[in-house]
Amino acid sequence: MKFLRFGAEGQEKPGLLDEGGLIRDLSGVIKDLTPDQLGAEALAKLADLDVEALPVVEGAPRLGVPVAGIRKVLAIGLNYADHAAETGAVPPKEPMLFSKAITSICGPDDPTELPASSTHLDWEVELGFVIGTRAKAIPAGTGLDHIAGYVLANDYSEREWQKDRAGQFVKGKSHDTFCPLGPWLVTRDEVADPQDLDMYLRVNGESRQKGNTSTMIHKVAFLVDYLSQFVTLEPGDVILTGTPPGVGAGMKPPRYLKAGDIVELGIDGLGTQRHEVVAL
């Protein structure tokens, strides 16, 4: 199933996308799509609903973050060998972990803020997954069992803040709007192989990134196993899995976003996003 949340910011209602591409209102069934709704039993109950009996949402409402109450966002850096090469980095032997602030999360088509002091705002199309059941020091090979579903994400990064302003990556990754998620949470059963998904990103209609999740160094299932040894993963937690080549920092000369730019991205089966960059 493809779950979503629609409506004005702060007033979103739960919904789902039916097979005909219509948004169906779930607010008469559940109050919201929260971490409590992401376990196998809760998702099974929603899957048994008569979708055709749910109210159709008319028009084209704003879509919000597809899951309410996300507790943390973890991300993996340099997880595509060709992306590491374009930035002059050596791929790490173990996953490189950093976090993004919860306040960076926004809807899939919300504007992207260009902070007044930003000079190196970059893009990163990424596959994200959402935890459905708690994972702490889980046995190897069981990672996928803890995933509720997958989301499209853009790991926006201010490269000067990230690399030249001291401290950890989180500084350059966490401004408001730097983590658009959605449009949908696509349940695990609808993604046959998370390691075979085409992905792309365009800026002003020009292709910048084109890749496939098959070239990840550390695969999705392993990442859940691995991270659970260090961090307890709770329902609703989001993990971003890295980006393929084509980021602005890797271009010669580097190219970064400016006010008025339009960023479009997508992943097979997970939908698309469109952002206009707006100056603060």
Side-chain angles (χ1 to χ4, degrees):
M1 301 184 80
K2 294 180 174 69
F3 293 104
L4 54 86
R5 297 171 66 248
F6 64 93
E9 186 174 0
Q11 302 176 38
E12 294 92 343
K13 295 180 179 181
L16 60 81
L17 193 74
D18 70 17
E19 293 184 359
L22 298 175
I23 296 176
R24 300 280 180 162
D25 190 343
L26 274 175
S27 61
V29 180
I30 56 175
K31 184 176 181 180
D32 206 346
L33 188 64
T34 65
D36 292 339
Q37 300 294 333
L38 300 181
E41 184 176 340
L43 289 177
K45 289 181 179 179
L46 293 175
D48 285 340
L49 290 172
D50 180 0
V51 174
E52 296 299 317
L54 296 171
V56 173
V57 178
E58 302 293 342
R62 170 191 173 271
L63 297 183
V65 180
V67 177
I70 293 171
R71 295 165 178 163
K72 57 182 173 284
V73 179
L74 303 176
I76 306 300
L78 301 177
N79 199 27
Y80 287 70
D82 37 10
H83 167 58
E86 74 172 344
T87 60
V90 177
K93 293 181 180 180
E94 294 194 37
M96 176 189 291
L97 175 65
F98 62 90
S99 64
K100 292 175 77 80
I102 295 300
T103 48
S104 68
I105 298 172
C106 67
D109 297 317
D110 289 346
T112 298
E113 294 181 359
L114 179 66
S117 63
S118 172
T119 57
H120 293 65
L121 180 58
D122 207 347
W123 53 85
E124 295 188 16
V125 58
E126 304 207 6
L127 170 67
F129 60 84
V130 181
I131 296 297
T133 57
R134 188 173 187 265
K136 179 177 181 178
I138 62 173
T142 64
L144 292 182
D145 296 339
H146 293 268
I147 294 177
Y150 299 90
V151 292
L152 169 64
N154 193 340
D155 177 21
Y156 279 114
S157 309
E158 215 302 336
R159 300 299 189 193
E160 186 202 15
W161 298 359
Q162 176 187 353
K163 298 181 178 181
D164 300 333
R165 298 291 296 272
Q168 300 176 337
F169 276 16
V170 64
K171 182 185 294 182
K173 300 280 189 173
S174 292
H175 194 275
D176 294 356
T177 75
F178 277 19
C179 189
L181 298 174
W184 320 306
L185 170 68
V186 181
T187 52
R188 192 177 76 226
D189 59 293
E190 290 204 7
V191 179
D193 184 357
Q195 303 305 157
D196 187 22
L197 300 174
D198 288 331
M199 55 208 308
Y200 73 88
L201 183 143
R202 298 190 294 262
V203 177
N204 299 326
E206 178 183 325
S207 177
R208 297 292 174 85
Q209 290 185 277
K210 194 172 183 180
N212 186 282
T213 56
S214 62
T215 63
M216 279 186 194
I217 299 170
H218 305 292
K219 310 301 185 184
V220 169
F222 169 76
L223 288 174
V224 185
D225 299 346
Y226 178 86
L227 293 175
S228 79
Q229 310 305 312
F230 305 95
V231 182
T232 298
L233 303 177
E234 299 282 0
D237 288 351
V238 176
I239 291 87
L240 307 185
T241 59
T243 198
V247 299
M251 301 179 75
K252 301 185 186 306
R255 295 173 67 177
Y256 298 108
L257 294 168
K258 61 185 184 302
D261 284 345
I262 301 296
V263 180
E264 299 168 292
L265 58 148
I267 295 179
D268 281 352
L270 303 187
T272 63
Q273 297 183 1
R274 182 183 186 277
H275 316 128
E276 179 179 359
V277 180
V278 295
L280 292 185

